[in-house]
Amino acid sequence: MAKKQPLVPQEEDGRKTRKEILLERRHQRQMKRVRLAIGSVLGLIALVVVIALINEYLIVPSRPVAVVNEESISLTDWQDRVRYERAQRIVFLENQYDAFNGDVGIIQQFAGQTIMEVFNAEDLGQTVLNALIEEAVIRQAAEARGIVVTDADVEQEIAESFNFFGGDSPPPTPTATATVMPTPSVTPITTEVITETEVLPPPETEVGPTNTPRPTPTAVSAEAFQQEFNEFLDQFRPYGITEAQYRSIVRAQLFRERLAEWLAQDQDLPTTADHVSFYVIIYDTEEDANEGQAMIEAEGFLPVWNAIRSAPPDPENLTQPFATELPWQTQDELTNNIGFALATEVFSLPLNTPSDIVTEQLDPNAPPRYFIMQVSGREERPLSPQALENARLSAVRLFVDSVIASGGVEITDNWRGRTPTQPSLDPKFLQQPTPAPQQELPPELPPIEELPPLDDGQ
């Protein structure tokens, strides 16, 4: 009996079985899911990157680093100003480098603070932020008072800073006219050995001479001004600084000056103040000061002052007293120059009456010094131009502080960690100065016994 054939048909060569077809379809479905998953992940990553880029380059730059009376200072504006301030300092350092023939030691000595400002990026960023807040407060206050700074005002200020006055000569420096000379100090005795101290009476009041007129400044042409201004800007262009940025700085300065003038008139700032003129003797040790005070009590202040003033310098006496005269100072000027204690003592002294010994440490890195003073004159006088300017700027400073204290300024943390470090400081300014070459010493002579004997004929 013949054997039955199997029910499952045999596939012809080259044809897949049903099982293989099912496995292949399943594999295709799995691969499709994998591709969908990978595509989803890649799409999610791309979305995150796009969101990050939008946030970093569109959203974050527009976020405020500070808000001044509801007016925002954006991160972009702050970063641009930081770059400008860095460039300004770097240009200054490069000019100094050229002026001192590459002597880094001199630059570090006289411009060390500028180098550190560029090196410490975060500190400079904080300084710039404070400056932008102050400028915003000043501009808002000025505009609220009807103060306007036009483009023409900015152009004129820039031109005048380069001595361009529309082709005319610069305004001449005021020439000093004849004035009544103040009472001079006691005439020093010029002899080397003082055997008897004589206080000479002051001479009669006389009229001081006038100064020799200065030559008339040469007029600057428009072409010369434009060339000089372009050369000035060319120093900043390699660092990405634009002319518009420079003009915005000038505009802010004009707002400050005009608000200062307005506050001076509004607050009726005084134009005169009490001045004193006085003599002072300075001692390095308390023992010398006590001896000087005893001599003053015995002989009088002016003879002692005159003797010290007339004595020749003694290089071997490191504690030799020093005598000088400070004519016509205000109390604020004295406080800034010699300290609060000395200024207070001077303004409380009666005329021609020696003070007690006043101790003051003018230099925190040096020991205290000892002062004995006598006021020779006291009167109300006009303030100097510098004192008037300082008073106006002080009024602006107090005004800005009051606005900040009232809560009109909000500072955010959006700027932290985003301080520009470009343009960068050339490493040459951070190098150790090259020490001065040491002079070669002559070779040592051998001991006498080692010298060759002299010939008889020598």
Side-chain angles (χ1 to χ4, degrees), residues 42-81:
L42 292 177
L44 183 61
I45 293 175
L47 180 62
V48 171
V49 171
V50 170
I51 293 175
L53 292 175
I54 293 174
N55 180 71
E56 185 67 22
Y57 293 101
L58 294 179
I59 298 177
V60 171
S62 62
R63 287 179 179 172
V65 294
V67 180
V68 181
N69 294 325
E70 301 183 356
E71 178 184 325
S72 297
I73 300 173
S74 69
L75 177 66
T76 298
D77 292 340
W78 169 75
Q79 288 178 329
D80 288 345
R81 182 64 174 271

Side-chain angles (χ1 to χ4, degrees), residues 169-392:
S169 299
T173 304
T175 303
T177 56
T179 55
V180 177
M181 299 292 290
T183 302
S185 59
V186 179
T187 304
I189 302 174
T190 56
T191 54
E192 293 187 3
V193 180
I194 301 175
T195 57
E196 181 179 358
T197 302
E198 177 184 5
V199 180
L200 301 179
E204 297 294 330
T205 300
E206 59 183 22
V207 177
T210 59
N211 292 341
T212 303
R214 299 188 179 187
T216 304
T218 305
V220 177
S221 66
E223 293 77 11
F225 155 64
Q226 196 61 51
Q227 179 180 354
E228 188 174 357
F229 183 50
N230 289 334
E231 291 174 355
F232 169 77
L233 294 176
D234 286 343
Q235 300 179 87
F236 294 89
R237 290 192 174 102
Y239 304 107
I241 305 304
T242 65
E243 182 178 344
Q245 288 177 275
Y246 173 71
R247 289 180 178 275
S248 68
I249 305 298
V250 176
R251 187 182 299 272
Q253 181 60 33
L254 286 175
F255 270 120
R256 180 187 299 273
E257 293 174 0
R258 295 184 181 183
L259 180 63
E261 294 173 0
W262 191 94
L263 291 175
Q265 295 179 0
D266 182 67
Q267 299 175 9
D268 195 18
L269 295 181
T271 58
T272 62
D274 289 336
H275 289 67
V276 296
S277 186
F278 65 100
Y279 305 105
V280 58
I281 305 173
I282 306 173
Y283 298 92
D284 286 330
T285 67
E286 187 175 7
E287 179 181 2
D288 288 344
N290 289 330
E291 292 181 2
Q293 188 177 45
M295 293 176 61
I296 290 171
E297 292 175 353
E299 304 174 20
F301 182 90
L302 290 180
V304 175
W305 183 93
N306 192 63
I308 295 173
R309 178 77 169 182
S310 306
D314 184 0
E316 296 182 358
N317 185 2
L318 300 180
T319 61
Q320 184 176 13
F322 174 75
T324 188
E325 181 184 14
L326 294 176
W328 305 121
Q329 304 279 313
T330 67
Q331 189 164 357
D332 288 340
E333 290 171 339
L334 284 179
T335 300
N336 294 332
N337 294 331
I338 63 176
F340 176 79
L342 288 173
T344 303
E345 178 70 17
V346 167
F347 270 81
S348 64
L349 282 176
L351 285 175
N352 304 318
T353 302
S355 70
D356 294 329
I357 299 173
V358 181
T359 306
E360 184 72 59
Q361 188 172 8
L362 302 179
D363 185 352
N365 299 319
R369 307 183 79 180
Y370 305 88
F371 300 78
I372 302 178
M373 299 159 290
Q374 179 169 298
V375 174
S376 58
R378 176 181 284 110
E379 61 184 58
E380 184 172 347
R381 288 180 159 228
L383 291 171
S384 66
Q386 185 61 49
L388 290 172
E389 180 67 13
N390 291 339
R392 288 193 292 263

